[in-house]
Amino acid sequence: MKRLLCLATAAATLGLAGPAWAEVTLNALFMSQAAYSEADIKAMTADFEKANPGIKVALEFVPYEALHDKIVAAAGAGADGYDVVLFDVIWPAEFATRGFLQDVTARIPADATDKIFEGAWTTVEYSGKRYGMPWILDTKYLFYNEDMLKQAGFANPPKTWAELATQARAIKDKGIVQYPLVWSWSQAEAMICDFTTLTAAHDGKFFVEGKPAFTAGGARDALAYMKQTLEDGLTNPASREYLEEDVRRVFSNGEAAFALNWTYMNALANNPAESKVAGKVKVTSAPGVEGKSGAAGVNGSMGLGIPANSPHADEAWTYIAHLTNQSVQESYSRLSLPIWKASYDNPKVAEGQEGLIAAARQSIAVMYPRPLVPAYTEVSDILQKNLHKALLGETGVDDALAAAAQRVERIR
């Protein structure tokens, strides 16, 4: 590949200027579910290529579950690896420590800091440095079928998890739906996100002074709540095999009254081409716990970074600057909300999704992180295995959490 002809500093920050580049093809890695659709990303990329003659982008989409390992494997591929990668909020500590991502702190304009939500910045930060630009600002919201709630006599959605169980019980007892609740509780990261949401609501902690603290308090209460809804017949037992798309499908078929899911579900569940309950779907913040929290949220945001072995860092940064540009994000805000604070006051962004914007204003402020440790993948795997055993009824809540803590202590 030819060397670039010029380094246009405006385009290399967050601008959209279209300098002349030598012919370069960027290899970019994205995930194939949730948040921006493949069609959205392809359209954004086509606009970028038009504005930046000479730069082509080869897009690769993989399931979220394969994203981490693809990035790690490509780290040893030299110049044949990726130039831009999408990474989860839980990976910067590992990727920075292992030298997988470039430090882009100096590339980010100073005035961008205050214009972007703090929760978005935590997606790309580790040890005082920034390893990318936040792109997907997301948390899990509570979606509910308004018709089902009205049939059961409820005018408003629950504000606490206890109220949610009460409403779900009434909906079940009236025979409106067999299982009012559906979750993504497969043995996967999706389950950890739901567990984190409930842990935050119950004012729980994962670690205190470096030691596992999830065996008691709010984290224990969170798992106990999850298990109890299964035992009470409120949660669809198939939730233990579901990921987010399964949750969307079941809820959109009218088989559940409540679902916890990411932003993207709002548009799709209200799309008649995708959903049997379109027009009946409302969204609100994940509930809180009386005396402990008014709402809850997990930080499910993702960022775009440049792998350390990319030979096209300047062109890659220009592409990242385009995708994270405020006007671009506002043009594609149906499946993923912008990282920019001012976007939430833009009537064009809010139009048709006023409920989601209202929920976002509350939820973004309370997003709770999963453990930000270099060994996160191992910690998560251990929690997934043991939480899932408890949900399957193979062990009790206390034994599951104690077993997880014992193993986590060995690796930290």
Side-chain angles (χ1 to χ4, degrees):
M1 296 178 183
K2 300 175 183 178
R3 287 286 299 165
L4 55 88
L5 291 176
C6 67
L7 300 177
T9 54
T13 53
L14 290 179
L16 288 173
W21 300 91
E23 292 182 5
V24 165
T25 296
L26 301 176
N27 294 311
L29 179 67
F30 295 91
M31 68 174 178
S32 56
Q33 77 264 30
Y36 296 113
S37 65
E38 290 188 25
D40 282 354
I41 296 171
K42 289 176 180 176
M44 295 178 198
T45 300
D47 289 342
F48 168 77
E49 290 176 333
K50 185 177 180 180
N52 294 272
I55 304 179
K56 300 295 181 184
V57 184
L59 300 171
E60 181 178 346
F61 296 92
V62 298
Y64 170 84
E65 289 71 24
L67 195 58
H68 174 275
D69 290 350
K70 291 282 285 188
I71 296 172
V72 172
D80 294 326
Y82 297 108
D83 300 294
V84 174
V85 294
L86 176 67
F87 62 88
D88 202 351
V89 62
I90 51 183
W91 299 333
E94 175 193 356
F95 289 175
T97 302
R98 300 176 70 178
F100 290 168
L101 290 177
Q102 295 187 21
D103 174 4
V104 297
T105 308
R107 292 182 182 270
I108 299 172
D111 64 352
T113 295
D114 291 338
K115 296 178 180 177
I116 292 173
F117 286 102
E118 182 179 352
W121 283 122
T122 61
T123 307
V124 298
E125 293 176 337
Y126 180 69
S127 194
K129 298 178 179 177
R130 289 174 174 167
Y131 291 89
M133 274 293 292
W135 188 43
I136 297 169
L137 177 60
D138 215 346
T139 188
K140 286 205 168 186
Y141 298 95
L142 180 68
F143 294 89
Y144 61 96
N145 185 312
E146 189 177 40
D147 271 10
M148 290 184 182
L149 265 64
K150 288 180 178 176
Q151 290 176 49
F154 299 104
N156 297 300
K159 292 188 177 301
T160 68
W161 289 104
E163 286 181 23
L164 183 141
T166 298
Q167 293 190 5
R169 168 57 64 190
I171 289 168
K172 183 179 180 71
D173 289 348
K174 288 178 181 293
I176 298 170
V177 67
Q178 184 177 6
Y179 298 114
L181 309 179
V182 62
W183 314 72
S184 48
W185 289 353
S186 177
Q187 186 179 320
E189 190 62 28
M191 176 180 62
I192 299 300
C193 291
D194 287 2
F195 176 63
T196 301
T197 301
L198 283 156
T199 294
H202 287 84
D203 194 26
K205 300 286 187 295
F206 282 103
F207 294 97
V208 174
E209 297 181 352
K211 299 291 184 182
F214 50 75
T215 57
R220 185 202 177 279
D221 293 343
L223 182 57
Y225 182 92
M226 295 163 72
K227 187 175 174 63
Q228 191 64 51
T229 64
L230 281 163
E231 293 173 354
D232 290 346
L234 302 179
T235 283
N236 187 329
S239 295
R240 295 172 293 191
E241 303 301 327
Y242 284 167
L243 295 174
E244 291 93 335
E245 273 295 85
D246 303 304
V247 169
R248 180 176 74 86
R249 175 179 53 77
V250 169
F251 183 84
S252 296
N253 278 338
E255 299 169 15
F258 298 101
L260 200 65
N261 212 338
W262 306 107
T263 301
Y264 84 104
M265 184 164 131
N266 187 60
L268 298 179
N270 277 304
N271 181 349
E274 296 276 350
S275 171
K276 296 178 180 177
V277 296
K280 302 174 183 177
V281 180
K282 301 296 180 183
V283 59
T284 188
S285 299
V289 171
E290 187 173 358
K292 294 184 176 179
S293 61
V298 57
N299 191 345
S301 304
M302 303 183 80
L304 293 170
I306 305 171
N309 54 330
S310 169
H312 308 300
D314 292 305
E315 296 93 330
W317 183 251
T318 306
Y319 181 50
I320 290 173
H322 171 81
L323 295 180
T324 58
N325 180 275
Q326 183 176 339
S327 64
V328 173
Q329 286 211 298
E330 289 177 352
S331 296
Y332 294 91
S333 58
R334 299 294 113 173
L335 299 177
S336 184
L337 294 176
I339 59 175
W340 303 89
K341 296 175 183 176
S343 297
Y344 293 71
D345 294 321
N346 183 339
K348 291 184 178 178
V349 172
E351 185 178 2
Q353 53 182 8
E354 291 80 2
L356 176 63
I357 295 298
R361 290 184 187 280
Q362 185 173 22
S363 296
I364 290 172
V366 297
M367 291 195 307
Y368 192 78
R370 286 162 279 170
L372 302 175
V373 294
Y376 178 80
T377 302
E378 290 87 348
V379 170
S380 178
D381 285 346
I382 291 168
L383 281 170
Q384 288 173 32
K385 179 180 179 180
N386 287 282
L387 296 184
H388 205 242
K389 279 186 175 181
L391 298 180
L392 290 173
E394 296 176 358
T395 187
V397 168
D398 292 317
D399 287 344
L401 293 174
Q406 187 175 33
R407 288 202 57 198
V408 167
E409 278 196 289
R410 293 175 184 167
I411 64 172
R412 295 192 80 244

